[in-house]
Amino acid sequence: MSEGLKEKVLDKYSARVYKNRKPHLVTVGEETEITANTRTIPGIITQRGCCYAGCKGVVLGPIKDAAIIVHGPIGCSYYAWGTRRHKAESDIRDNEEADCYLEYCFSTDMQEADIVFGGEKKLKQAAQEIVDIFKPKIVMICSTCPVGLIGDDINAVAKWIESDLGTKAISFSCEGYKGVSQSAGHHIANNQLIRYVIGTGDKEPKTKYSVNVLGEYNIGGDGWEVEKLLKRCGVEVVSVFTGGGSYRDLKNSHLANLNLVQCHRSINYVADMMKDKYGIDWIKVNFVGIESTAKALRDVGEYFGDEQLKKRIEEVIADEMSAIADDVSYYNSKLKGKTAALYVGGSRAHHYQVLLKDFGIETVLAGYEFAHRDDYEGREVIPSIKTDADSKNIESLEVEADPKHYRVFLTDEQKAELDNKGVKLNYYEGMFKGMNDGSIICDDLNHFETEEFLRVLKPDIFFSGIKDKFVAQKSGMLSRQLHSYDYSGPYAGFKGAVNFGHDLVMGLYTPAWSYIRAPWKSIPSIEGTLGGAE
Amino acid sequence: MKTKVKPLVSLNVNPCKMCMPMGAVTAMYGIKKSMSILHGSQGCSTYIRRHMATHYNEPVDIASTSLTEHGTVYGGEENLLKGLKNLIELYNPEVIGVSTTCLSETIGEDIARMIEKFYELNPEYAYIRIIPIHSPGYGGTQFDGYFRGLYQIVSHLARECEKNNKINVVTGMQSPSDIRFLKKEFARFGLEAIFLSDLSDNLDGGYSEKYSRLPSGGTSVSEIEQMGGAACTVEFVGMDLEYSPGQYLADRFGVPLKKLMLPVGLRDTDEFYRGLSELSGMKIPEEVELERGRYLDAMIDSHKYSGDGRAVIYGDPDFVLSTVRLCVENGVMPVVAATGSTCKMLKPLLEKEIKPLGDMIFEENYCIVDDIDFKTMEELAVSGNANLMIGNSDGRRIEENMSIPLVRRGFPIHDRVGGQRLRMLGFAGSLMYLDEITNAVLACKERGFRKELYNEYYKDTPIDQGIREEVLDTAAIKKREIEEKTKTHPCYNCGAHEYARIHLPVAPHCNVQCNYCVRKFDCPNESRPGVTTKVMTPEEAFDRYISVKEKVPNLSVVGIAGPGDALANFGDTKRTLELIREYDPKVTFCLSTNGLMLPKYADELIKLGVSHVTVTINAVDPRISAKIYKFIDYMGIRFTGENAGAILLSNQLNGIRLLASQGIICKVNIVTLKGINDTHIPEVVSKMKSLGCYVTNIMPMIPVKGSAFENLVPASNKEVNAIRDICGETMLQMYHCRQCRADAVGRLDNDISLEVNEKQQGEPAEQSRDQEQSARFAVASKSGTLVDQHFGQIQEVYIYESKNDEVRFVERRKIDQYCTGAENCDHKEGKIDSIISMIEDCKGVIAMRIGEEPRNKLTEKGIFVYPTYDRIEDAVKKATSMI
């Protein structure tokens, strides 16, 4: 049936497009390999963004104390200004202040003349102005499409800022056309963070149980919830990459003893390179979902192996669980048996399936915008991924063990023991393994396919971003945005799960749905049940 | 009007604009069964869709050619050809707009040729109209992109055709709801209108069970084809456009072009209906008259609140123009009118609107700015004392930070729902708009009026304290009196030169040791604050006041300026003021202090009738204060370092706050100390502004021998003026300070204290001058501290005396200017002679520079000439040694 369903959607395509798109669509249980991270088909309305969006918008944007100058015409910087709901507050930690520039948008606003005659001079002046006015601890420069083409050397400008203005500066050549999606931008950002930020501080963590949280962007306050939980358990959070995070903290991250990876896609390069360079192991965690949050905390306890810590973690889990039990069981009664489709990000479409399962909701369709094969099939496929021309254009950084800071926290025997306990180090299993047979996975789901699949699959809820949500919403299907949480959140951790359940119930049972059919219309306008209507 | 703002040259902080492709695709969205494809990297379309969808709450489907690095190297033709084909196969649009982006423009893509090639390769798609739109992101804003899009649509689709009776209607990016209104009104007058572009349904649709892939509303291709035969084009933009669709239709097909303002506000809506009536030959319906009446009624009802509005208006040029016109009709003062676009023609249009209102309410400080960013706007909003903002939701950050309410209009609205249905056109739309504006002002009043009015008019007044005798002396009268007094106070009003003041030296003690000050009594050789000849008792001071008042009838101000601190000697200060007040109830009392005791005595000062208080505040950061003050004596304890700074600062700020809240005019003196507080001064000034100070007086430091700062290089006049100019953006600056002595008498430009003193002591001036036989020098100085003037330009000379290595100031002498320009040159012979006769008792002249002729004359007379640029004392010493 599902094969037929896929065919039904693909049939609308010309032979050429059909051939291209077919391997991006997989039915769980029938196929095991997916094609991902390849070029978008021109003219098809993709939901993907560009390299700049991945670099500036996703990874760097949330670093609160970095003044990021977008070098380029005004649009790109304007569009990435406050677009994501990554939150942060300026704060003081151990007498060191981290400012917060997230409400600001800095652009060189290039004009035609700058394109013709080059914009380096303007960039330098802009840097001078930003240093004079804001006195930031660090300046980051992100380039947009025209910059790479006209050959402005932003790297040289960054060096000039350091030497002549005395302010730390890093350049990111993240022109929009690089790579095939945001993913290229993540990689570029990761590389420069390893090169110029991580390892430049020297503030030792206060405890042995020190971790970095990687790939947590604090959308709607998720990161704060996670940090709070870890702290409650007695785990020290050295830094967060990068939601609510700061250059102040990131520079000391190499001194933590363990990395927790939330969003695998956007930050796995940093996790990998920190492993190679500093010997820090990483665990893939998922703080979205009740059971998965508990597992993540327990994994941390197992890694450090301290009985006291483990006991504390169990106490925290028990306490948090009992606090939410009533709410969860109520929401569960309202949500059980619903179905969902998710199309978001390079990790969220996986993470949220776990939370949905906690409420008894089945996922019938899931897809990533910009993931690679390992995000679908697990990291074991990495050696077999062929690098194509587009990936080759993105620098793959080789790092060596740092002579001063490289250390091994666990012995091989300890690691084997952990493995036996089900704590997989430096591994991500991907999305496939958790999904039911017959459900559909679709990479780079475009606008057309979204519409077709939703029409046929009729899920109760469609989770996506703002661009694709109206396809569902305009036809009477509940849509929730998982990029911005529709002003809601946090959804992570135990309390976040309750918020999530509340939002779904509110959405599915809003009285508005019951007025869709005008009383004077005798023919029902929509067949089947509406989201939530009993 | 202030037109010079100081925006950052290269850095745009918080942009007030978007890019051209945004406008181009919006224009396309008003065409029936159309699609847009952006030729560039896919981020452009993704970002633009995201922003439009959030504003309109509608699906926004824009394709991209998804150029990658490969495309940038080998050109994007392949992607565009494929993209068009895929788009057509899946969506089957009738019209496609191909808009360029920064990327495709930078690599120089010729999209028109590629489109031709597409037709050649795919003849089966010849029926689809593909329109190329050049919209480089760096070429302009969404406003420019929108009209360029419209222009391309018209120039590609409109044809030579039979004349018809239709009316072409061109507007800027109006809300779909407002477009619906326009459509209805044209229909009401029986006019068939072709809208360019018609966003009304496509970006504000109703609920429907079936998702429609293509915009089903909007203007169809066949309608646009007929635009060339229309009876008339009406452009509702209010200004000339670089890419004017109406102009194109006029030039190409001879369709007459009528330019109207958008129907916003009374005048323009009247004009709108008159226009519709003319075009249709129909009378304006009675219903419209009723609507007009209702709007007018609302204007009259609202004026008492909206008249207090001081608005910041920003957005697309046409939006700003119409909104400004509505505002001025209602007495809402636009203190900032700005657009992020570069639009030179907007300024004169706005100036014409705003100036008459500004003139009426004495408001000159309004700004009209194009190419603005929100950082600049925030600064202007604050300095313009704005209490209202009107524009898109990007102003929300200022709204939050500065608590200035924002009336949301324009594009985009991202933090509220319903951006697509905001209304401002027509009487009904204007009424909604005006109500929102008025209510924003009213909400502020409602929130604050109880507490604020209580504090301003009632709290701490005698009534409140149960004292009955001063019932009539209400705060309002007091305030008016103080304003009157300010007009006749030479230190506060530049124009009050003709009024004189007297400083009474009754306060010898000081409780703060400033590092730049040494207070020496009976030391008339220097003219600077804190210095006096003699300390007087209150009774002596009173006698002196009486005697001076007889000689100088225009004496309007009595000040206590030391030589110590007026409040450190509060008993004497109080007694002196009481004595004088008894004698002269009208005279203005002013007082200067370091502010340490201000909170303690503020109430008493007000009761004594002191209306003007000068506080010297050199820093608002205790760390900086620590470098400036050696110690303070407070409540019997001597504090030093940052503690001293913090106590002093907190008392100064609280004191000023207390005084300013009671309407006392506060002046703050700031001594420029190079390398210590010079870069900090703007911060001091803005703090003072926030406390409600009237003026700040930034002064150079006068280096004093024996003080801790004796070797600190003083700031030059130029440097001080530069700081004043910067701070002038924040608040009123005093440029005419003469740094008076504590016993100064007379007008600022003519200190007669020596005269008065000498007469009083019965010692004629001549006599004392004759007693001295040592070397005297005439010094040309503007600042009074440095030899910094050309001999030819002196209006007065400083006479210094040098005796046994001691240098002493003797007096200032008024002199006719020698060089006043060519026409007087004939008489200069005589003038030099007269100058020389005035300084005949001097051994030498010290000036920055001196002309050949006077030099010879002086030398002839045996007067030594020493040109130099130096501190006066040092120059005199050097000159002495040279003789």
Side-chain angles (χ1 to χ4, degrees):
Chain A
M1 133 95 201
S2 56
E3 193 55 33
L5 193 147
K6 255 167 54 186
E7 288 301 323
K8 230 158 117 190
V9 174
L10 288 167
D11 266 350
K12 305 268 164 64
Y13 288 132
S14 68
R16 197 169 30 84
V17 177
Y18 177 95
K19 197 165 148 258
N20 180 312
R21 285 299 298 161
K22 193 166 189 309
H24 291 273
L25 274 65
V26 161
T27 309
V28 179
E30 292 171 19
E31 293 128 300
T32 51
E33 192 180 319
I34 193 165
T35 299
N37 193 33
T38 59
R39 282 181 200 171
T40 316
I41 298 174
I44 282 193
I45 298 175
T46 178
Q47 316 296 0
R48 284 174 160 183
C50 59
C51 178
Y52 159 82
C55 182
K56 197 282 177 183
V58 174
V59 180
L60 302 180
I63 303 176
K64 61 188 173 189
D65 56 354
I68 305 177
I69 305 179
V70 177
H71 184 39
I74 202 71
C76 307
S77 45
Y78 176 86
Y79 300 131
W81 176 29
T83 313
R84 285 173 89 228
R85 286 186 65 234
H86 46 241
K87 298 174 165 220
E89 289 273 9
S90 59
D91 68 337
I92 296 173
R93 189 172 173 171
D94 299 331
N95 293 324
E96 207 179 340
E97 193 171 0
D99 293 326
C100 183
Y101 298 112
L102 297 197
E103 283 291 283
Y104 285 98
C105 170
F106 305 111
S107 172
T108 53
D109 188 8
M110 286 173 95
Q111 303 294 311
E112 189 131 21
D114 303 317
I115 301 292
V116 177
F117 300 109
E120 261 178 61
K121 210 173 135 206
K122 197 171 191 190
L123 176 59
K124 276 188 172 180
Q125 283 165 350
Q128 176 84 57
E129 287 167 2
I130 213 168
V131 168
D132 287 350
I133 300 169
F134 295 93
K135 304 181 178 60
K137 298 256 163 44
I138 184 168
V139 171
M140 294 182 177
I141 303 169
C142 289
S143 50
T144 66
C145 288
V147 171
L149 301 171
I150 63 174
D152 277 1
D153 188 350
I154 60 166
N155 212 3
V157 176
K159 290 216 171 75
W160 172 84
I161 295 171
E162 296 206 333
S163 64
D164 284 40
L165 305 183
T167 300
K168 171 119 184 153
I170 309 176
S171 61
F172 296 83
S173 293
C174 54
E175 285 81 359
Y177 54 76
K178 288 193 173 161
V180 300
S181 69
Q182 292 98 309
S183 174
H186 304 148
H187 199 162
I188 289 167
N190 279 224
N191 285 346
Q192 298 293 74
L193 290 178
I194 272 284
R195 234 187 218 128
Y196 299 114
V197 175
I198 300 163
T200 57
D202 55 7
K203 189 159 283 167
E204 290 282 348
K206 294 186 188 68
T207 67
K208 194 175 151 197
Y209 312 126
S210 56
V211 302
N212 300 307
V213 183
L214 271 53
E216 170 53 67
Y217 298 106
N218 201 25
I219 306 295
D222 275 358
W224 287 332
E225 186 63 26
V226 170
E227 220 179 310
K228 208 168 68 188
L229 267 179
L230 286 167
K231 282 182 182 160
R232 252 197 106 184
C233 295
V235 176
E236 180 182 352
V237 178
V238 175
S239 71
V240 180
F241 285 67
T242 52
S246 59
Y247 162 67
R248 174 197 63 193
D249 299 341
L250 294 181
K251 66 182 195 293
N252 301 319
S253 57
H254 62 297
L255 300 170
N257 283 328
L258 177 65
N259 280 336
L260 307 179
V261 174
Q262 173 75 16
C263 173
H264 175 258
R265 180 68 265 134
S266 62
I267 209 80
N268 75 87
Y269 314 97
V270 160
D272 260 359
M273 288 188 276
M274 282 177 87
K275 165 91 181 108
D276 293 344
K277 196 168 175 185
Y278 303 108
I280 305 173
D281 289 312
W282 60 269
I283 307 177
K284 173 73 181 77
V285 292
N286 178 14
F287 286 106
V288 175
I290 302 167
E291 288 306 326
S292 59
T293 300
K295 171 156 180 11
L297 295 175
R298 287 183 178 125
D299 284 359
V300 174
E302 289 298 339
Y303 184 84
F304 289 114
D306 180 277
E307 289 309 318
Q308 200 67 26
L309 177 69
K310 285 203 261 186
K311 190 166 157 265
R312 176 78 193 143
I313 288 171
E314 289 307 327
E315 282 166 9
V316 170
I317 292 173
D319 182 54
E320 295 272 344
M321 288 283 211
S322 79
I324 64 168
D326 289 351
D327 288 330
V328 170
S329 79
Y330 172 72
Y331 293 135
N332 206 310
S333 74
K334 297 298 242 182
L335 298 171
K336 205 171 162 72
K338 305 287 180 202
T339 56
L342 298 104
Y343 179 62
V344 54
S347 291
R348 278 172 196 263
H350 179 199
H351 294 154
Y352 276 86
Q353 289 185 39
V354 178
L355 177 53
L356 288 168
K357 240 181 227 160
D358 287 335
F359 288 111
I361 300 171
E362 209 58 48
T363 300
V364 292
L365 169 78
Y368 290 142
E369 275 180 32
F370 46 80
H372 298 199
R373 269 183 65 202
D374 40 322
D375 302 301
Y376 292 102
E377 300 170 46
R379 280 182 75 91
E380 57 270 32
V381 301
I382 290 179
S384 64
I385 296 176
K386 281 179 250 123
T387 24
D388 57 13
D390 296 306
S391 315
K392 271 187 209 143
N393 287 336
I394 310 301
E395 180 191 22
S396 181
L397 194 60
E398 295 292 333
V399 293
E400 282 170 11
D402 185 283
K404 193 171 160 210
H405 292 294
Y406 189 88
R407 73 252 186 238
V408 176
F409 194 79
L410 293 187
T411 62
D412 286 348
E413 294 80 57
Q414 285 171 312
K415 283 184 184 171
E417 201 184 313
L418 267 183
D419 199 65
N420 287 336
K421 284 184 182 159
V423 182
K424 309 274 181 211
L425 290 183
N426 315 317
Y427 174 73
Y428 174 44
E429 59 165 5
M431 184 208 270
F432 275 19
K433 300 186 180 78
M435 289 185 73
N436 291 344
D437 284 354
S439 45
I440 290 175
I441 292 179
C442 181
D443 177 67
D444 184 18
L445 185 74
N446 59 50
H447 216 56
F448 169 77
E449 289 164 10
T450 306
E451 190 192 331
E452 295 289 316
F453 273 122
L454 293 185
R455 207 156 43 86
V456 188
L457 289 169
K458 296 192 175 59
D460 295 298
I461 317 162
F462 180 49
F463 294 97
S464 71
I466 176 89
K467 305 181 296 290
D468 28 2
K469 80 168 206 176
F470 287 106
V471 178
Q473 191 160 302
K474 288 278 162 183
S475 53
M477 185 183 292
L478 174 63
S479 89
R480 293 291 309 181
Q481 295 183 63
L482 282 190
H483 295 281
S484 73
Y485 297 177
D486 294 300
Y487 272 97
S488 187
Y491 287 163
F494 301 98
K495 293 195 182 68
V498 172
N499 292 340
F500 186 72
H502 167 265
D503 287 350
L504 293 193
V505 169
M506 171 178 77
L508 285 169
Y509 294 90
T510 174
W513 297 120
S514 63
Y515 302 107
I516 284 175
R517 226 165 293 161
W520 56 86
K521 282 208 171 164
S522 52
I523 311 152
S525 53
I526 295 174
E527 286 170 40
T529 53
L530 292 167
E534 303 285 330
Chain B
M1 181 190 62
K2 203 158 58 169
T3 54
K4 239 181 110 183
V5 288
K6 206 172 46 37
L8 295 167
V9 196
S10 302
L11 186 68
N12 184 309
V13 182
N14 299 352
C16 185
K17 59 179 170 182
M18 286 152 273
C19 60
M20 279 240 262
M22 169 70 86
V25 299
T26 307
M28 283 304 298
Y29 240 94
I31 308 302
K32 196 172 193 163
K33 301 213 164 142
S34 71
M35 288 288 282
S36 274
I37 183 163
L38 284 172
H39 189 34
S41 56
Q42 62 206 11
C44 304
S45 104
T46 296
Y47 272 132
I48 286 171
R49 289 174 63 205
R50 185 246 173 244
H51 276 73
M52 287 179 69
T54 312
H55 172 87
Y56 292 107
N57 301 291
E58 287 286 333
V60 174
D61 300 345
I62 298 161
S64 169
T65 57
S66 300
L67 284 188
T68 59
E69 196 134 14
H70 180 269
T72 67
V73 178
Y74 299 101
E77 182 178 287
E78 197 191 329
N79 281 48
L80 181 56
L81 296 179
K82 270 192 203 163
L84 283 170
K85 199 155 192 278
N86 290 335
L87 187 64
I88 293 168
E89 279 168 3
L90 289 180
Y91 289 84
N92 199 20
E94 290 178 6
V95 199
I96 300 175
V98 179
S99 301
T100 57
T101 62
C102 298
L103 174 54
S104 48
E105 287 287 339
T106 307
I107 59 176
E109 297 277 277
D110 183 352
I111 50 170
R113 190 191 51 76
M114 291 176 197
I115 291 168
E116 264 170 46
K117 187 162 176 191
F118 176 80
Y119 284 128
E120 280 164 27
L121 292 172
N122 303 282
E124 70 274 26
Y125 294 137
Y127 68 94
I128 297 169
R129 316 298 290 271
I130 307 177
I131 304 170
I133 305 171
H134 282 281
S135 49
Y138 48 77
T141 65
Q142 72 282 3
F143 181 75
D144 308 303
Y146 181 81
F147 284 104
R148 218 180 260 201
L150 294 187
Y151 189 92
Q152 287 300 96
I153 291 167
V154 171
S155 58
H156 264 73
L157 301 182
R159 303 209 165 137
E160 202 73 65
C161 63
E162 265 182 47
K163 287 280 164 229
N164 53 52
N165 268 330
K166 297 184 175 168
I167 312 287
N168 304 324
V169 181
V170 178
T171 70
M173 283 169 69
Q174 301 309 319
S175 82
S177 185
D178 269 340
I179 298 283
R180 272 200 297 280
F181 159 79
L182 285 180
K183 283 169 77 176
K184 254 188 218 154
E185 292 312 283
F186 274 88
R188 196 181 197 175
F189 281 81
L191 294 166
E192 246 188 283
I194 305 173
F195 271 76
L196 203 61
S197 152
D198 178 6
L199 306 177
S200 58
D201 291 333
N202 298 341
L203 287 176
D204 187 17
Y207 175 89
S208 94
E209 61 263 40
K210 201 175 171 309
Y211 174 72
S212 153
R213 265 178 213 161
L214 281 177
S216 52
T219 306
S220 68
V221 174
S222 63
E223 283 175 299
I224 297 170
E225 282 174 345
Q226 294 173 50
M227 290 179 96
C232 166
T233 303
V234 187
E235 243 178 34
F236 288 105
V237 187
M239 63 188 76
D240 296 329
L241 294 167
E242 194 190 345
Y243 284 86
S244 157
Q247 197 59 52
Y248 173 84
L249 290 165
D251 295 345
R252 177 83 171 71
F253 305 108
V255 182
L257 172 61
K258 192 178 170 75
K259 290 184 182 178
L260 280 178
M261 295 295 304
L262 279 166
V264 178
L266 201 86
R267 289 172 290 175
D268 296 339
T269 308
D270 280 350
E271 211 44 52
F272 169 71
Y273 282 111
R274 203 190 332 234
L276 287 184
S277 169
E278 264 171 33
L279 287 171
S280 63
M282 249 175 80
K283 249 185 77 191
I284 294 173
E286 205 173 309
E287 268 172 66
V288 171
E289 301 273 353
L290 283 173
E291 277 176 30
R292 185 184 193 276
R294 221 169 278 131
Y295 178 56
L296 191 60
D297 194 42
M299 286 172 72
I300 295 163
D301 288 344
S302 303
H303 81 274
K304 38 201 141 168
Y305 320 114
S306 54
D308 282 343
R310 299 173 61 81
V312 176
I313 299 162
Y314 60 90
D316 281 348
D318 57 337
F319 168 83
V320 173
L321 178 57
S322 286
T323 300
V324 162
R325 284 173 64 87
L326 177 132
C327 281
V328 297
E329 279 177 359
N330 288 285
V332 178
M333 178 66 200
V335 286
V336 182
T339 179
S341 298
T342 304
C343 183
K344 297 293 165 219
M345 75 184 102
L346 189 59
K347 194 168 279 177
L349 292 172
L350 292 176
E351 173 73 5
K352 208 171 78 193
E353 289 299 316
I354 302 175
K355 194 170 182 304
L357 180 63
D359 287 348
M360 192 176 77
I361 63 171
F362 305 110
E363 181 55 76
E364 300 175 331
N365 275 332
Y366 56 88
C367 304
I368 300 171
V369 192
D370 73 341
D371 195 16
I372 199 168
D373 64 11
F374 278 101
K375 174 148 202 304
T376 313
M377 200 188 303
E378 180 171 309
E379 285 158 12
L380 295 176
V382 171
S383 66
N385 214 359
N387 59 9
L388 176 69
M389 289 193 295
I390 307 171
N392 64 40
S393 67
D394 292 329
R396 63 184 180 273
R397 296 167 181 90
I398 302 180
E399 180 183 38
E400 197 184 323
N401 293 343
M402 300 291 144
S403 303
I404 305 173
L406 171 63
V407 172
R408 285 163 175 77
R409 278 294 184 289
F411 175 86
I413 309 294
H414 279 172
D415 62 343
R416 299 282 190 273
V417 297
Q420 76 274 37
R421 48 184 175 261
L422 288 173
R423 288 286 316 273
M424 60 187 272
L425 302 190
F427 291 122
S430 299
L431 194 140
M432 283 182 214
Y433 200 13
L434 174 62
D435 277 355
E436 269 183 66
I437 292 169
T438 309
N439 284 335
V441 177
L442 203 47
C444 282
K445 285 182 182 288
E446 185 68 26
R447 207 171 26 246
F449 83 100
R450 291 178 192 86
K451 197 166 169 222
E452 278 164 25
L453 290 192
Y454 176 80
N455 287 344
E456 184 174 355
Y457 293 112
Y458 192 80
K459 196 178 163 213
D460 297 336
T461 57
I463 307 173
D464 197 29
Q465 293 160 358
I467 298 169
R468 290 180 172 275
E469 40 299 306
E470 288 179 61
V471 170
L472 286 174
D473 187 15
T474 63
I477 294 173
K478 213 191 264 173
K479 212 172 152 190
R480 209 175 315 135
E481 266 176 15
I482 290 175
E483 276 164 16
E484 274 310 307
K485 285 182 170 175
T486 304
K487 282 185 199 155
T488 57
H489 192 316
C491 294
Y492 287 83
N493 191 333
C494 220
H497 280 317
E498 69 271 26
Y499 296 96
R501 57 38 179 139
I502 181 168
H503 286 178
L504 295 173
V506 295
H509 306 297
C510 195
N511 44 14
V512 172
Q513 179 59 56
C514 310
N515 284 335
Y516 49 77
C517 177
V518 174
R519 281 172 297 108
K520 285 189 275 182
F521 306 150
D522 204 25
C523 178
N525 63 351
E526 285 179 273
S527 172
R528 63 157 203 281
V531 174
T532 179
T533 303
K534 179 177 184 297
V535 177
M536 298 175 176
T537 64
E539 286 70 24
E540 283 169 346
F542 177 60
D543 290 344
R544 179 168 154 99
Y545 168 74
I546 306 255
S547 71
V548 173
K549 176 83 186 168
E550 278 161 12
K551 292 192 200 78
V552 189
N554 62 356
L555 185 66
S556 65
V557 176
V558 170
I560 312 282
D565 185 74
L567 300 184
N569 304 269
F570 190 67
D572 291 336
T573 300
K574 186 178 173 186
R575 178 81 193 123
T576 309
L577 295 181
E578 278 169 351
L579 286 170
I580 295 172
R581 180 58 86 215
E582 212 170 292
Y583 173 83
D584 183 351
K586 283 257 178 293
V587 69
T588 302
F589 283 158
C590 83
L591 175 146
S592 83
T593 171
N594 55 41
L596 184 61
M597 302 307 289
L598 206 45
K600 186 169 178 191
Y601 297 123
D603 282 346
E604 282 207 66
L605 289 179
I606 294 165
K607 267 187 227 149
L608 282 167
V610 174
S611 56
H612 295 73
V613 175
T614 299
V615 187
T616 303
I617 300 182
N618 297 322
V620 290
D621 180 341
R623 283 171 294 188
I624 298 176
S625 303
K627 296 184 196 155
I628 300 174
Y629 304 105
K630 202 164 166 193
F631 58 80
I632 66 166
D633 289 330
Y634 185 58
M635 309 297 251
I637 301 173
R638 177 158 291 190
F639 295 91
T640 56
E642 285 185 30
N643 289 343
I647 293 169
L648 178 61
L649 178 62
S650 114
N651 282 6
Q652 287 169 331
L653 300 184
N654 283 328
I656 290 183
R657 204 173 283 130
L658 279 170
L659 293 175
S661 71
Q662 298 289 310
I664 302 302
I665 305 288
C666 296
K667 170 159 80 78
V668 167
N669 283 349
I670 306 168
V671 179
T672 310
L673 302 163
K674 264 178 96 170
I676 294 173
N677 75 344
D678 48 349
T679 55
H680 175 64
I681 289 178
E683 212 176 302
V684 179
V685 172
S686 64
K687 183 75 201 172
M688 294 312 126
K689 157 112 182 158
S690 73
L691 293 176
C693 281
Y694 176 76
V695 62
T696 54
N697 174 22
I698 301 166
M699 314 183 290
M701 180 200 66
I702 302 172
V704 177
K705 211 172 152 106
S707 71
F709 286 168
E710 70 173 310
N711 293 321
L712 195 73
V713 180
S716 68
N717 279 349
K718 209 171 147 197
E719 285 165 328
V720 171
N721 271 331
I723 300 174
R724 285 171 176 168
D725 287 343
I726 292 168
C727 296
E729 304 264 325
T730 313
M731 67 182 288
L732 188 63
Q733 293 298 310
M734 181 165 168
Y735 278 88
H736 60 286
C737 178
R738 303 300 290 248
Q739 294 181 278
C740 308
R741 299 152 51 91
D743 61 353
V745 180
R747 308 194 309 238
L748 288 189
D749 56 354
N750 183 18
D751 192 306
I752 55 171
S753 60
L754 282 166
E755 202 179 307
V756 174
N757 285 348
E758 282 151 3
K759 297 256 166 72
Q760 235 182 9
Q761 292 155 9
E763 292 175 293
E766 291 306 314
Q767 201 184 337
S768 71
R769 217 175 268 171
D770 288 348
Q771 284 175 346
E772 315 284 350
Q773 290 305 321
S774 48
R776 285 194 167 192
F777 291 90
V779 181
S781 170
K782 212 160 33 188
S783 60
T785 58
L786 298 169
V787 182
D788 57 1
Q789 208 171 21
H790 193 293
F791 182 74
Q793 286 158 356
I794 49 171
Q795 283 175 299
E796 57 184 6
V797 296
Y798 289 71
I799 305 297
Y800 272 75
E801 193 171 63
S802 149
K803 194 177 176 186
N804 307 334
D805 251 16
E806 285 277 307
V807 175
R808 204 169 88 79
F809 168 73
V810 179
E811 63 187 347
R812 277 195 239 167
R813 290 184 200 162
K814 273 243 167 246
I815 273 180
D816 286 336
Q817 210 169 329
Y818 158 59
C819 179
T820 53
E823 50 193 287
N824 289 334
C825 273
D826 292 347
H827 310 291
K828 68 185 168 190
E829 289 283 314
K831 273 212 173 153
I832 296 175
D833 290 343
S834 81
I835 293 176
I836 291 174
S837 72
M838 285 194 71
I839 55 172
E840 247 170 344
D841 58 329
C842 296
K843 283 251 164 63
V845 164
I846 306 175
M848 195 169 72
R849 288 173 66 188
I850 186 163
E852 198 55 35
E853 209 173 327
R855 179 198 283 268
N856 292 341
K857 284 231 168 176
L858 287 165
T859 318
E860 233 170 72
K861 290 266 175 193
I863 298 176
F864 169 72
V865 175
Y866 176 42
T868 182
Y869 177 78
D870 203 346
R871 283 174 55 191
I872 294 178
E873 282 88 345
D874 295 344
V876 173
K877 274 184 200 163
K878 275 183 203 148
T880 315
S881 67
M882 285 159 105
I883 297 175

